[in-house]
Structures are given as structure tokens and as C-alpha cells.
Amino acid sequence: EGIEDLTGAVSTTIYLKDILDPDRFWKDELTQVGVDRVFACGTSGAGEDINSDGLVSGHAYALLKAVEHEGRRFLVIRNPWGTGEWTGRWSDGSKEWNDDFATGLKQALGGFKFGDDGEFVQEYEDFLQVWEDVDRNRLFDDSWIVNSQWLGLYPANHMTWSHGDITFTISVAEKTEAVICLAQMDTRYFKELSGMYAYRLDFTLYKKGETTALGHSLGNQNGRRSVKMQTVLEAGDYVVQVRIGREKARDSPYDFSEFSQEKLARKRSEWATSKSIATNFDPASTNHLPLPPSLFAGITLLQLQIEAQEQLNALREKKQSRKKANAEAREAIAKAKAEEEAKKAEEEAKANGEAESEGEGEGKPNGDVDGKTEDESDEKHEDAKVEEPEEVVEEEASEEEEPIWKRKKNKKDKKRKGFFHQAMDAARQTRFASPYQAAEDGEEVDGMENGEEGEQDEDANDSNYDSQDAARDVPPPVAEEEEAEPHIFECDECGDQIKGTLYHCMESNCVYYTICEDCKKFDDHPAGHTFVKFPTPEDAQAIVEGQDDDDGELVLGLRVYTQRTVPATVQGQIRKGSILRKHYLKKKN
């Protein structure tokens, strides 16, 4: 980690017992020492005891050179203490140096000298047997380019040690060599503020749309700060599935009572500044984030505050304008709906009127209406303008007899005259599914005065009318429209508490962006963002995140190093609440 911080390299720990192809490891890795790689090798054990071979247990050594001479392979290694060396084969002054081969090897090593300076030579065969691990640090020159994205999260919500909580996508336009590094913020420097747990990282790489993994990450220091993978990416899209593990590092949070207040304030400011690299960082989540110095350059504090308040006023006016626009839109929709219903009712009334006219004249000879001549018919029509017509004889029942209540309604309609009455009745029928309404004394109910029994007697005397007919004739109940239950969320655009359908943006760089159905229609959110809708407050509980008070916020980032001519596009996604697991648990059950 120290070399990473000093050089910008990517460090990976390789355990020598896990090397299956020592020849490839020599050619592809160790021969690049001093070119674009820096290596350190470590011994097993703990403490600083000196072993029988002269090496210190639990100690790291620097690998300086890798040389091949007459088919044999050698490494030059140095103890950073400047003293204490390897005492095995090819150690300083050993018998292996007393022949012509050793003379040529000295020349190949570039003037290697004996002495207790901590520098010694070791053959590759012995190297593989003596050392426990090698830390490889990959260096990058200006022929490489790096692209990254960082995300902040509370690990308590993503702690299953399985994939599906956090993913990153990588896109490259051409084939390129790539180094992929998943890292977290330096918790060693901010250990007092980083919570009570230590985290371990791991990831798996897939080609998008395929189920076979392309590889798994390698780490250093048990994957504490970062894990990496070196690979070759073909043109296309890739998915990096992340896992997070944790273990308790301390039993209780740090006690800051004895801390210097100035030191604590500075460290909190630096911690907040470091976390702000995350694309989903919310500045309102902390009071310790310092304002950028450039903000105060050449401007007074009074002017800054005036400008800030003007911007706050503009945001408030935007919300008020959005509320007004939403109200106008709802009013326009209601008006259009009412006009459409009225138009439909008018058309139905007109159609009913034309049908009745055709029914009255059906089966009568031309010029003879109700057995009367044209003159008599004209005279009858003139009288109809003044007085109500006689009750129209009911037509013969069709094969499927209409319900009693509908027959009553039709008779009443026939007694009425004029288009206005027909239109009003059709509009009332459209609004109320049931023709029966509660009536006060003296009110009309379906064309009868209250207490009038003319048509009721007819139904009662009908020999074919039974209880099943009565049950059939009962009109369906009118379902009242219930007001939508409010959500616990407020709309981020208009500021109102959301009722009805809630829309939530799934993009990680949107800090919990949630809007109502009315504001969604304005479509002024950045293009390309994906929304998920939640019809009810119960559904919306799936995006509510919990928070473990013992956990600090974890900031993760994926860095992708590629050849400069083929830059990579990196995007991250965080699982939202319990949407995924809730769905698959239901699916399983």
C-alpha cells in the first residue's frame, strides 16, 4: 500500500504456492522488474526473528533484478534494513562463486559485490521454496489512461457476501490490455471515523449477457483496501459483480473526549472531502464539508450570501410553479374527461331517441300511423306539442327479456318529450349505475310519484316474475373512488407528499431522487436515467434503506486502466433497498 500511495501503482499479492506455471511467472512477471513493475517478497511467520537461513521472519524484502545466465535464473534481493542477508546457496562468499560460471554471472548481474549491505543473490528454484508471497506493483506511464467511478454506501445494507448488491459496468470500443482495481477509501488514516468494522472486497468479471465468469480478483493484505485483475478486454460491455465481507475491528466507537478539537475538526473535514469523490455523495449529509476556496476568491461574504439566497428563492419559485402547473394539468384532465362523458351521453341519448322513433313506426303502413290517415296523424302530432301522449304500447319482449327496472326506465323515457330531457337522463345514467335513488316524500323515482303503484302492480301480477328475477334486476352497486394513500416520501420537484404512483430514479448519481406522477409528466430529468414506479406505499417500502449505527459509510471505487487510445467507460449501480431479494423470495415461495 505504501508503494501504491507513492507511485500510483496497482499492487497485488501473489502467493508462491499458488503459482501453477513457474516458467510463465518468470517470463511474464519477474523479468519486468524495473521496467513497469516493482516487486517485494515476504517471509512467513511473525515478529523479527532471524531464521537459520539468515532471513528475518515476517519481513519484506525488495526484489531488484531478475537475470538469466546460461539457462539458469537468478534474482538480486535486498533487505531494506541494509544488513542481514541470505546464507544459503549463492550467498556472499559461498562455494558456488568459485568457478567460471560464477565469473560470467557476476558480469550478467552488473558488477555485483560481496559485503554485509543487505543485498544478496538467490537462484529461482530456491526463491520459489523460501518466500511465502510476492507483492507485485504495476506501474503506468503516459501510454495508459485510467477511468473510474466511486460510490458511497452503508455496508449494513449490502452485507450478504454474495453478488447482486453492487455492480459496475465497463465498456471499451476496441481490444485492449486492462488492469481493473476495486478499492475503498484509506480507512487506516481515518480509522477513528470509519466505524467499528473492517471490510474485505472481492469481485468477479463477466462479459455482459454471458453466464461464464472471465476471472476473479486478486488482492493484497487479504483484500483489505483493494483487489485487482489484469486481463485483456475485447470490444464490448462487461459487468463487475462486487462482494463485501466484514469483521469487527473494535468493540466500541472511538472516544473523542481526549482528542484535540482542532485535530478532530480537520480530520472530519478531510474525511468529508474524501467521501465527496463519490458520484452519489449528498453534501447535505454532513456539516463538515468545507466550501471550496475558489468560492471566496475576490468576493465579499455579503455578496456570496445574497447570491445564495437568490438561488434558494429561485428553487422555491420553481417548486411553486411546478405545483401550479400540476394543478392546472389535473384540472384540464378532469375538464376533458367531463366533456368526453357529456358528449358520449349526448350521443347515446340521440341514438335512443332515433331507436324509439323507428320502433313506434314499425309495422305500420305508409301514411298510416296507429291506424289513422295522414291528416289524422298530422292532427295528432299537433296535439302532441301541447299535451303528453298516451302511454305507448310496449313492444313484444325479445328472446332475452330485459330486467324490470330497465323496462320501467324505458317507459319513463317514452313519456318524456324533447331532446333536452333525453340528454339529461342519459347523462344521469352515465354517472349513476343504479337508477334507484333514495327519495323524499313527493319526489319522483323512475318516472313515478312517490307512492304511485301503477307499474309495481304490473310487476307483482307477472306470473313469470320470481325471486331469481328480482335478484337479477337489482342494479350493481356504485364503487366509490377512494383517495390514494399517501407515501412517506415528498416529491423532489414540487415538494408535495406523494400520493398515488411514486417514481424513483435508479441511477446511482441521483441522490435518492423521487417524484410524483404529475411531475414525471414534465420529463425534465436527465436523459437516459431509468425510473421504477411504485403504485402503493407498501411497494415503495422496498427502496427504504436501513442504517447500522455501528457502521461508518463505505466509499468504493472501480478504476480501470487501459491503453490511452482505448479509454473505458465505467458506471456503477447500487442495489435499491429490498427490491431484488423481495422479488426472488416471492418467486421461490
Side-chain angles (χ1 to χ4, degrees):
E1 292 181 1
I3 295 177
E4 282 188 337
D5 294 338
L6 292 172
T7 65
V10 171
S11 177
T12 305
T13 299
I14 302 171
Y15 293 93
L16 297 183
K17 65 180 181 181
D18 294 336
I19 296 177
L20 301 179
D21 190 345
D23 185 63
R24 180 180 176 184
F25 181 66
W26 172 268
K27 292 179 180 178
D28 293 349
E29 298 293 344
L30 295 180
T31 57
Q32 299 301 311
V33 61
V35 180
D36 61 359
R37 288 165 176 77
V38 175
F39 291 93
C41 43
T43 55
S44 60
E48 297 178 350
D49 297 331
I50 299 178
N51 301 325
S52 59
D53 55 10
L55 300 178
V56 181
S57 61
H59 188 47
Y61 291 72
L63 200 158
L64 304 181
K65 290 181 181 180
V67 176
E68 191 165 354
H69 177 64
E70 295 184 7
R72 298 173 68 178
R73 296 165 176 172
F74 296 88
L75 297 136
V76 179
I77 303 171
R78 184 177 185 274
N79 186 340
W81 291 350
T83 185
E85 300 180 4
W86 160 255
T87 57
R89 292 195 311 155
W90 296 99
S91 60
D92 289 3
S94 65
K95 62 180 182 179
E96 285 79 13
W97 292 99
N98 299 323
D99 56 21
D100 294 337
F101 177 84
T103 303
L105 177 60
K106 277 190 177 182
Q107 294 177 354
L109 294 173
F112 173 77
K113 297 180 180 180
F114 295 154
D116 188 14
D117 54 2
E119 189 173 318
F120 55 90
V121 175
Q122 195 172 52
E123 195 163 2
Y124 185 45
E125 294 178 358
D126 295 330
F127 177 85
L128 294 173
Q129 298 297 323
V130 170
W131 303 96
E132 182 180 32
D133 57 61
V134 170
D135 287 327
R136 177 189 62 192
N137 298 274
R138 176 66 183 266
L139 302 173
F140 302 97
D141 56 19
D142 57 6
S143 65
W144 290 79
I145 189 172
V146 59
N147 290 278
S148 65
Q149 185 176 26
W150 292 78
L151 298 172
L153 64 144
Y154 286 95
N157 299 318
H158 307 275
M159 290 304 306
T160 58
W161 194 239
S162 65
H163 299 122
D165 286 341
I166 305 170
T167 64
F168 290 89
T169 56
I170 304 171
S171 300
V172 291
E174 301 176 16
K175 181 179 179 179
T176 179
E177 185 181 359
V179 177
I180 304 171
C181 177
L182 176 69
Q184 60 177 306
M185 299 296 296
D186 188 357
T187 55
R188 292 173 64 183
Y189 181 75
F190 297 109
K191 63 181 180 180
E192 298 90 352
L193 306 174
S194 57
M196 297 169 55
Y197 293 90
Y199 300 101
R200 183 171 65 255
L201 307 178
D202 173 72
F203 71 81
T204 304
L205 178 68
Y206 295 87
K207 186 75 179 289
K208 190 174 182 180
E210 298 181 2
T211 58
T212 303
L214 298 179
H216 303 275
S217 59
L218 296 175
N220 58 354
Q221 298 296 318
N222 296 320
R224 289 289 183 239
R225 191 170 80 166
S226 60
V227 288
K228 301 91 179 176
M229 176 190 295
Q230 183 172 319
T231 186
V232 175
L233 299 178
E234 301 288 343
D237 300 327
Y238 298 83
V239 179
V240 176
Q241 295 285 1
V242 177
R243 294 190 298 182
I244 305 174
R246 72 173 180 177
E247 60 182 3
K248 206 162 190 179
R250 58 189 69 91
D251 293 329
S252 60
Y254 274 89
D255 182 8
F256 297 115
S257 59
E258 298 181 0
F259 267 60
S260 164
Q261 292 300 310
E262 181 181 0
K263 177 181 177 182
L264 183 60
R266 288 187 178 184
K267 182 157 285 194
R268 282 175 170 165
S269 295
E270 292 173 355
W271 178 232
T273 303
S274 298
K275 292 193 297 183
S276 66
I277 192 176
T279 54
N280 62 338
F281 175 74
D282 183 6
S285 64
T286 177
N287 295 323
H288 304 292
L289 184 67
L291 296 174
S294 59
L295 182 65
F296 303 95
I299 190 171
T300 65
L301 187 59
L302 176 61
Q303 187 176 354
L304 278 174
Q305 292 178 104
I306 293 174
E307 291 179 356
Q309 188 58 45
E310 288 176 349
Q311 293 180 7
L312 291 174
N313 292 339
L315 290 174
R316 189 177 297 107
E317 290 175 1
K318 179 184 176 183
K319 286 192 174 184
Q320 294 297 329
S321 175
R322 180 58 58 84
K323 287 183 180 181
K324 182 178 179 181
N326 288 343
E328 292 175 351
R330 287 192 293 267
E331 184 178 353
I333 292 173
K335 183 178 179 181
K337 185 177 180 180
E339 291 177 351
E340 183 180 353
E341 290 178 351
K343 183 177 179 182
K344 183 178 179 181
E346 181 179 333
E347 292 175 352
E348 290 179 355
K350 187 174 181 180
N352 290 337
E354 293 175 354
E356 290 170 6
S357 300
E358 293 176 359
E360 290 174 358
E362 186 177 355
K364 303 294 189 299
N366 291 337
D368 188 358
V369 180
D370 291 337
K372 297 180 178 57
T373 63
E374 283 188 17
D375 294 339
E376 292 174 337
S377 178
D378 292 340
E379 190 176 353
K380 176 67 177 177
H381 283 300
E382 290 177 1
D383 295 337
K385 298 178 181 179
V386 179
E387 59 185 26
E388 292 286 337
E390 294 293 330
E391 181 177 339
V392 180
V393 178
E394 186 178 1
E395 296 177 20
E396 293 183 4
S398 59
E399 293 181 4
E400 294 183 5
E401 186 175 354
E402 292 182 335
I404 300 302
W405 66 270
K406 192 169 184 180
R407 296 212 310 268
K408 293 178 184 178
K409 186 74 172 57
N410 291 339
K411 290 179 180 180
K412 181 191 73 171
D413 291 341
K414 292 174 183 179
K415 290 180 181 180
R416 289 179 174 176
K417 67 177 181 178
F419 173 78
F420 174 77
H421 292 287
Q422 296 175 358
M424 290 298 295
D425 186 76
R428 185 168 62 251
Q429 185 177 0
T430 300
R431 177 162 177 78
F432 302 104
S434 173
Y436 296 94
Q437 304 293 329
E440 300 292 338
D441 291 342
E443 278 191 319
E444 279 194 8
V445 180
D446 290 337
M448 298 187 301
E449 293 291 334
N450 193 23
E452 191 173 321
E453 300 179 354
E455 293 180 346
Q456 287 182 335
D457 291 341
E458 178 184 347
D459 295 335
N461 295 329
D462 187 352
S463 61
N464 296 325
Y465 191 80
D466 54 18
S467 59
Q468 293 183 355
D469 294 327
R472 178 196 63 200
D473 292 342
V474 174
V478 179
E480 296 183 0
E481 185 176 353
E482 298 182 358
E483 185 177 359
E485 184 181 353
H487 293 264
I488 63 173
F489 303 95
E490 292 183 352
C491 177
D492 288 321
E493 288 294 340
C494 66
D496 288 340
Q497 190 172 18
I498 299 177
K499 295 182 180 180
T501 302
L502 176 150
Y503 289 86
H504 182 74
C505 182
M506 301 296 286
E507 300 298 323
S508 298
N509 56 348
C510 281
V511 183
Y512 228 86
Y513 183 78
T514 304
I515 58 176
C516 63
E517 189 170 9
D518 291 331
C519 291
K520 180 66 172 64
K521 297 173 183 177
F522 287 92
D523 197 24
D524 54 0
H525 200 60
H529 284 207
T530 302
F531 281 85
V532 172
K533 66 178 182 179
F534 300 91
T536 68
E538 182 181 1
D539 295 331
Q541 288 295 319
I543 58 174
V544 176
E545 297 283 5
Q547 181 175 340
D548 189 340
D549 293 335
D550 293 339
D551 273 350
E553 185 177 9
L554 180 63
V555 180
L556 288 181
L558 188 76
R559 304 195 305 265
V560 181
Y561 299 82
T562 57
Q563 296 172 359
R564 179 169 291 275
T565 56
V566 190
T569 301
V570 183
Q571 292 183 330
Q573 305 90 36
I574 300 178
R575 173 175 59 81
K576 298 286 185 174
S578 59
I579 298 175
L580 187 63
R581 298 190 179 281
K582 185 176 180 181
H583 167 71
Y584 281 100
L585 283 175
K586 284 188 175 181
K587 185 176 180 181
K588 183 178 180 180
N589 294 335

